[in-house]
Amino acid sequence: INCQPSVLFKSLLAPRPAQVLTMATNITWHDSHVTRSDRECHLDQRGVTLWFTGLSGSGKSTIATALERELLLHHKNATYVVDGD
């Protein structure tokens, strides 16, 4: 068996220049009168965030909405899908 790394794999391992991350300027935090612990106690569940990443058109939204339906209908979890570009 030939176990030589492919050119693509080698390119993925190559050093890359550091990226500068900047904060979005069009997103604003709003304080709530409901605390996270109040919400978790009332819903009897802990809050989590799942980020689906991938190429455009790769099915991220399809998977997210299928998971939302499964969690809501079969596990009675409160769920929200936020989708944006």
Side-chain angles (χ1 to χ4, degrees):
I1 298 175
N2 182 359
C3 293
Q4 296 297 317
S6 68
V7 172
L8 176 60
F9 186 73
K10 286 180 183 178
S11 70
L12 292 173
L13 296 178
R16 297 177 187 260
Q19 293 181 333
V20 176
L21 300 178
T22 57
M23 295 281 290
T25 58
N26 62 338
I27 299 173
T28 305
W29 177 262
H30 293 275
D31 289 325
S32 175
H33 295 289
V34 180
T35 67
R36 179 179 179 149
S37 60
D38 289 339
R39 189 181 316 275
E40 289 175 350
C41 188
H42 178 74
L43 296 172
D44 195 27
Q45 68 184 45
R46 290 198 53 218
V48 298
T49 301
L50 299 175
W51 291 87
F52 293 93
T53 62
L55 296 174
S56 179
S58 64
K60 299 177 297 293
S61 295
T62 302
I63 293 169
T65 54
L67 178 61
E68 176 189 36
R69 182 176 176 81
E70 176 72 19
L71 289 171
L72 181 64
L73 296 179
H74 298 287
H75 303 280
K76 308 297 186 215
N77 292 104
T79 60
Y80 302 93
V81 172
V82 179
D83 190 351
D85 293 314

